[in-house]
Amino acid sequence: MLDHGAAPTVDETTARKTSGLSALTRRKPVERLVAEGGQGEGGSLRRSLSMWQLTMISIGATLGTGIFVVLGDAVPKAGPAVTLAFVIAGLTALFSALSYAELAGTIPVAGSSYSYAYATMGELVAWVCGWCLVLEYGVSVAAVAVGWGEYLNELLDGTIGVTIPALLSSAPGEGGVINLPGLIVVLLAMVFLLGGARESALVNTIMVFVKIAALVLFCAIGFMGFKSGNYKDFMPLGMAGVSAAGASLFFSYIGFDAASTAGEEAKDPKRDLPRAIMLSLLIVTVLYVAVAAVAVGAWNWKKFEGSEASLAAIMNDVSGQTFWGTLLALGAVISIASVVLTVLYGQTRVLFAMSRDGLVPKVFAKVNPKTGTPRVNTVIVSLFCGALASVIPLGKLVDATSIGTLFAFGLVNIAVIVLRYTRPDMERTFRVPLGWLFPVLGFLFCAYNMFSLDTVTWVVFGCWMAAGLVFYFLYGMRRSRLATAAVATDAEK
C-alpha cells in the first residue's frame, strides 16, 4: 500500500517548494520511482511477465493497425511510395525505440515516458507527457476499434452473407448513429484485462500468432497478382505526399512502447524490457514493408481510396474467389482485437502511475488484491474508449493519436540526454549507441512528422493540451504527492 506520509529524502529537495517555478520543475527521484514499483491503493501489481510475453504485448499493440486499418488512408496520399512512407515512419519509431529501451532498462516502471519525464524534466513536463499518452493510448484504442468493425462486416459477409447495417456500424456523420462493433470490441478487451495481466498476455500471444500468419498468407496470395506497372508512377504526389502519409502511418508503430508500461509486472524488467522493445519493432517493420509492397504491387494505388478493408479486397481480386479474403478478414478481426487489448492495457498502467503520484484521482491507482489489476481504472478507461469508438470517425482519431504520440516520443529522446547528463553514474542495461546522436535524430524526426500533419490536427492537439493544463493547475499541481510531502515536512518544522 502507498505510504502517503513518507518524508522526502535528500534527493527530493526539488519537491520542498510547492508554488512558483520550483513546483513546476520538481523532479521525482529515480530511486523512488523504482522503489514504488507495483504499489497501488489496496494491493500491488504482480510480476508475472517474461521477455517473450513482453515482446508479444509490444507486437500485439503495434502489428495490425497500420496494415489492416490505415493503409487505405495512406496510399492515396503517397501512391506506391507508401512503402517509403512506412520506412520513414519506421526510422522515426526506431530512434525513439532506442531511447525507450535505454530508459525502460534504467527506470522500469509502469508510467512509461510519463515517468521518464518526471525523473528528468520535472512535474509539468511529466504531466504534459502523461496527458499526451492519454491521447495516444485512449484515442488509438478507439481508432483501432472503429477499423475492427470494417473487417467484422467483411467476415460476416463472406461467411453468412449478412452485414451489420451502416446505421449501427458507422459513426454519426458517416451515415450511422453508433459504431456498435467498435464499442463491443473494447468491452471484450476490458473483460480479458479484468482477469489479470498474465491471463491477458496468454490471450494476446495467441492473437499475435494468428495475425502474423494472416499477413504472411496475404503476402503469398497477393504476390501472385503482383504487377510491376503499378510502381511506374512511384511518387505521384511528390515528397509532400510521402511525408503526409508517413505522419499518418506513424500511428501504425504506436504500441512498441506498450511493453514499457508493463515495467512493474515484468519478472526481470531491466533485462527484458529493452530486448522486447527492440525485437518487436524489428518484426513489425519487416512485416509492414513487405505487406505494403505486395499490396501496391497487386492493386493500382488509386483503388485504395476509401477502402478500410483493402487487404481482404486485394485477396479476393487476385484469387478470383471470396474464400481467401474471408480468411484474411477472420485474421484481421482477431489481430485488431489484440491491438485493442494491449493498447488498452497500456492506457490503464499510465493512469495508474499518474494516480499514484497524485496527479489524477486516486481511484485509478486502486488495485484489486485478488487479480492484481487496477479494476476500476480498467472499467473507466474502457467505457471512455468505447464511447469514442462508437461516435467518432476513424480518420480524425488516427491523426489525433499520431500527434500526441510524436510529442511524447520527442520528450523521451530528450529525457535520455538529460538523464545521461544529470545521472551518468546510473546502471544502464542498454545504451543508445553513438552517444547523443540517435536521441537528437529521434527528436528531429518526431518534430518533422508532427509538422507534416494538417492544421485541424494541430488545433485539436492545442485544445487537448489546453484542457490538460487547466486540469493540472486546478487539480494535479496541488495534489501531487511531491507537493503534499513537502507541505508535511514544512509543517513538521
Side-chain angles (χ1 to χ4, degrees):
M1 185 170 294
L2 297 178
D3 180 11
H4 291 279
T9 64
V10 175
D11 290 330
E12 292 170 316
T13 54
T14 53
R16 291 187 179 278
K17 294 183 180 180
T18 59
S19 61
L21 182 61
S22 60
L24 303 181
T25 58
R26 57 194 171 210
R27 297 190 298 274
K28 188 172 183 180
V30 173
E31 290 78 9
R32 182 167 174 176
L33 279 166
V34 175
E36 290 180 352
Q39 299 180 44
E41 293 279 354
S44 299
L45 302 178
R46 297 173 182 172
R47 292 196 178 276
S48 59
L49 302 178
S50 65
M51 191 205 81
W52 177 252
Q53 290 170 316
L54 292 170
T55 304
M56 292 298 103
I57 287 174
S58 189
I59 294 176
T62 311
L63 184 59
T65 308
I67 289 298
F68 287 114
V69 179
V70 187
L71 187 64
D73 180 60
V75 173
K77 296 178 181 177
V82 70
T83 51
L84 180 58
F86 266 113
V87 172
I88 291 174
L91 282 174
T92 304
L94 172 62
F95 292 131
S96 296
L98 290 169
S99 293
Y100 262 99
E102 178 169 327
L103 292 173
T106 308
I107 315 174
V109 292
S112 186
S113 53
Y114 154 76
S115 295
Y116 308 153
Y118 212 164
T120 56
M121 291 175 280
E123 187 171 283
L124 179 60
V125 176
W127 168 262
V128 169
C129 189
W131 195 243
C132 285
L133 290 177
V134 172
L135 181 66
E136 171 192 345
Y137 286 114
V139 179
S140 66
V141 167
V144 177
V146 171
W148 185 78
E150 295 290 329
Y151 277 95
L152 179 62
N153 263 338
E154 189 77 19
L155 176 62
L156 292 174
D157 185 44
T159 52
I160 59 177
V162 299
T163 59
I164 301 173
L167 196 67
L168 299 177
S169 62
S170 300
E174 292 192 337
V177 174
I178 185 174
N179 189 326
L180 193 59
L183 175 61
I184 289 173
V185 72
V186 174
L187 296 181
L188 287 175
M190 177 188 74
V191 172
F192 284 118
L193 289 175
L194 291 175
R198 183 171 60 183
E199 293 75 11
S200 301
L202 175 61
V203 172
N204 173 66
T205 298
I206 296 171
M207 289 179 171
V208 168
F209 277 108
V210 170
K211 74 169 71 180
I212 291 176
L215 292 176
V216 171
L217 175 65
F218 170 80
C219 288
I221 300 295
F223 191 74
M224 296 169 57
F226 192 92
K227 299 175 183 177
S228 58
N230 286 336
Y231 277 92
K232 185 175 181 181
D233 188 10
F234 183 69
M235 201 180 295
L237 303 176
M239 195 61 201
V242 175
S243 297
S248 292
L249 286 174
F250 188 77
F251 175 86
S252 311
Y253 290 91
I254 294 171
F256 70 80
D257 56 319
S260 67
T261 66
E264 296 174 24
E265 291 161 283
K267 294 178 180 178
D268 189 354
K270 285 182 173 291
R271 183 197 69 179
D272 293 342
L273 285 176
R275 296 179 181 181
I277 289 170
M278 298 311 301
L279 179 59
S280 63
L281 185 63
L282 174 63
I283 293 171
V284 166
T285 302
V286 169
L287 282 169
Y288 275 167
V289 173
V291 172
V294 171
V296 176
W299 249 20
N300 184 281
W301 67 274
K302 295 179 181 178
K303 293 179 68 175
F304 284 84
E305 183 75 42
S307 175
E308 292 176 356
S310 53
L311 298 191
I314 290 172
M315 291 187 75
N316 289 339
D317 281 358
V318 170
S319 65
Q321 52 185 300
T322 61
F323 171 78
W324 295 110
T326 302
L327 188 61
L328 183 80
L330 173 62
V333 166
I334 296 173
S335 300
I336 297 172
S338 78
V339 178
V340 174
L341 175 68
T342 47
V343 176
L344 190 63
Y345 166 86
Q347 172 70 98
T348 60
R349 271 43 178 187
V350 169
L351 283 172
F352 172 84
M354 296 177 73
S355 176
R356 184 171 57 197
D357 291 332
L359 299 183
V360 298
K362 64 180 181 180
V363 67
F364 290 100
K366 289 185 177 180
V367 175
N368 184 282
K370 293 183 179 180
T371 62
T373 60
R375 301 192 71 173
V376 178
N377 177 344
T378 301
V379 171
I380 293 173
V381 171
S382 299
L383 293 178
F384 173 75
C385 293
L388 284 181
S390 64
V391 298
I392 300 181
L394 175 65
K396 297 183 184 300
L397 290 169
V398 170
D399 285 347
T401 304
S402 293
I403 195 168
T405 306
L406 287 164
F407 191 89
F409 283 11
L411 290 179
V412 168
N413 287 293
I414 295 174
V416 168
I417 298 172
V418 173
L419 194 61
R420 284 190 180 183
Y421 178 76
T422 58
R423 298 294 303 274
D425 57 316
M426 287 193 67
E427 177 191 0
R428 290 168 169 82
T429 56
F430 176 85
R431 292 182 69 93
V432 179
L434 301 180
W436 293 2
L437 177 61
F438 283 176
V440 170
L441 287 175
F443 175 79
L444 293 176
F445 266 83
C446 287
Y448 173 77
N449 278 281
M450 285 183 72
F451 286 107
S452 296
L453 293 168
D454 59 34
T455 303
V456 174
T457 303
W458 273 95
V459 171
V460 171
F461 181 65
C463 293
W464 175 261
M465 294 309 301
L469 289 174
V470 169
F471 185 90
Y472 172 73
F473 285 115
L474 292 180
Y475 182 94
M477 186 174 72
R478 293 173 175 79
R479 294 176 181 264
S480 161
R481 285 189 62 207
L482 292 186
T484 56
V487 170
T489 301
D490 290 341
E492 290 175 4
K493 293 180 179 179

